[in-house]
DNA sequence: TTCGCCATGTAATAGGTTACATGATTGC
DNA sequence: GCAATCATGTAACCTATTACATGGCGAA
């Protein structure tokens, strides 16, 4: 994640220069606090775990450091309990809102990067054995089917809440992705491509023999 | 990327304990060197740029450090030119092959994480203005269409090479993903969901008025 | 033969993750 | 009132990225 300074994209009168370098993580925190009104780091953690966390995860440690940093720069306001757990509660400031608005107004974003260990293994699968590919594909299939079911359940839950239209939209992209993944890994599991290396590495297999050169 | 020790998954007789902690990056380097036979860091860089780099990018600095580290652990062998550029050329060792094989034989991998700035913005789009969403979606649409075209071109080029069956399979997942993305962002651009916040933040817009509550 | 880009490499920094550690609250 | 778990926080480590720096090589 590159931390870079933000340059105003449009001349819509909302050009804005933030006092500190803001990373995607910063905006994520700003956005969540803005949505919730008030939030402790733990609140953020919970909010993330079943929404953004599905496509943008990070450790809870960041949820203590980043808000503090944003508060120091005046984008958030921090309030601390004097007793008990001495919780820190954050709210967004006018400055924070401006930073968030400027970010949202900037349409430029690089493409996604899908860091998928399963795909990485598949890339090199020709170096291994045919049976390995099949097991990999079956495992991935299982995982993606489970995720798909989870997303569908969440989608139903969100159906009523109008204020959740955009979170729900991202969920729909997740659904598209999981459905594509299920189809993809199913196809690999059913009929893994042949590799010149396979023949040398193992004996007979039940199917797909004909394709091996 | 967590660097964790590898635990042998199956009792197929190929259990293997690597001498150092191996991260996904390590396997990526091992795999590429294995595929190419011999490679300099620059060779790796080029190989990655139009294949794995599309879903698993990293900086060229890693391609100098990681191979050296693997060589120190005996998984790669390093050969250095005495003159000229003093290039380092790496080849895989028997130990390296075993590590790679064990990794490929292990079907367990966590799910992918799609770090997509565009989706992150979309998640919070309800806090901004309607026009922002439209511009974001149009920009994402443009990017994904371009990527889709690029993948299709590569796919044609790989059609002949049998040894590229698995790299090509990963490319097909990329195609599925890009097609889904194009459809998704097209839909958002055409008809962005309403947000309670929109009405307050701006005046009239050409369409979608009816939905705003 | 000189200029500019390609290729190679290193160092410093920033970022994030893991691990550790402790206090609060809840349930029994 | 004790144990278990939830909640909160910090620190050290590790990784990866950015920036810097230089030498070789090809083109004009």
């Amino acid at each position: 994640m590159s931390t870079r300074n933000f340059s105003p994209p449009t001349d819509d009168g909302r050009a804005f220069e933030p006092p500190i370098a803001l990373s995607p993580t910063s905006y994520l925190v700003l956005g969540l606090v803005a949505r919730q009104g008030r939030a402790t780091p733990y609140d953020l953690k919970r909010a993330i775990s079943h929404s953004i966390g599905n496509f943008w995860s990070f450790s809870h440690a960041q949820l203590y450091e980043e808000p503090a940093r944003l508060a120091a720069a005046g984008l958030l306001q921090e309030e601390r309990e004097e007793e008990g757990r001495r919780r820190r509660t954050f709210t967004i400031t006018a400055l924070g809102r401006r930073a968030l608005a400027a970010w949202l107004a900037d349409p430029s974003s690089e493409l996604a990067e899908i860091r998928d260990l399963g795909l990485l293994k598949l890339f090199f699968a020709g170096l291994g054995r045919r049976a390995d590919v099949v097991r990999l594909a079956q495992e991935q299939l299982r995982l993606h089917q489970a995720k798909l079911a989870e997303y569908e359940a969440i989608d139903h839950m969100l159906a009523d809440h109008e204020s959740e239209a955009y979170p729900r939209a991202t969920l729909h992209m997740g659904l598209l992705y999981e459905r594509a993944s299920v189809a993809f890994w199913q196809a690999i599991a059913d009929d893994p491509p042949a590799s010149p290396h396979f023949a040398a590495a193992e004996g007979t297999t039940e199917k797909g023999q004909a394709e091996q050169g």
Side-chain angles (χ1 to χ4, degrees), chain A:
Chain A
M1 306 318 99
S2 64
T3 302
R4 77 207 98 89
N5 279 315
F6 176 84
S7 56
T10 57
D11 47 5
D12 63 19
R14 300 206 290 169
F16 176 74
E17 196 68 30
I20 53 172
L22 297 177
S23 66
T25 299
S26 312
Y27 292 111
L28 194 154
V29 169
L30 279 178
L32 279 179
V33 173
R35 276 175 57 88
Q36 313 244 330
R38 314 167 41 83
T40 67
Y42 190 70
D43 292 336
L44 297 178
K45 185 191 162 193
R46 275 186 314 183
I48 287 170
S49 64
H50 45 80
S51 61
I52 310 183
N54 282 311
F55 66 90
W56 197 297
S57 77
F58 48 80
S59 65
H60 80 272
Q62 279 177 89
L63 294 177
Y64 289 88
E65 283 166 36
E66 187 63 20
R69 190 173 148 264
L70 294 174
L75 302 176
L76 292 181
Q77 189 180 357
E78 179 177 340
E79 218 174 289
R80 189 153 190 170
E81 281 182 358
E82 281 307 317
E83 296 152 17
R85 298 205 167 169
R86 295 180 49 70
R87 264 182 273 247
R88 293 173 176 175
T89 301
F90 296 91
T91 47
I92 195 164
T93 64
L95 194 63
R97 270 184 208 287
R98 284 184 61 203
L100 190 57
W103 179 67
L104 287 172
D106 174 14
S108 76
S109 341
E110 312 77 50
L111 271 185
E113 187 165 314
I114 308 179
R115 295 231 154 187
D116 187 335
L117 262 186
L119 275 188
L120 189 63
K121 271 185 192 172
L122 188 66
F123 187 92
F124 293 118
L127 298 168
R129 300 179 311 173
R130 191 175 188 278
D132 296 342
V133 188
V134 175
R135 263 188 287 118
L136 171 66
Q138 286 169 343
E139 174 67 7
Q140 288 287 312
L141 183 57
R142 203 179 59 75
L143 290 172
H144 283 288
Q145 280 170 336
K147 202 69 181 176
L148 181 55
E150 182 190 331
Y151 284 175
E152 279 168 349
I154 297 177
D155 192 39
H156 280 129
M157 283 172 42
L158 288 185
D160 315 335
H161 304 67
E162 193 197 350
S163 68
E164 304 294 333
Y166 281 99
R168 198 166 170 221
T170 64
L171 183 62
H172 287 163
M173 184 62 225
L175 284 167
L176 289 178
Y177 174 70
E178 294 302 336
R179 289 197 190 111
S181 295
V182 165
F184 175 76
W185 288 108
Q186 183 76 68
I188 300 285
D190 289 348
D191 187 22
S195 157
H197 179 259
F198 285 166
E202 64 207 79
T204 54
T205 53
E206 318 80 67
K207 61 177 294 190
Q209 285 284 86
E211 292 208 41
Q212 298 190 14

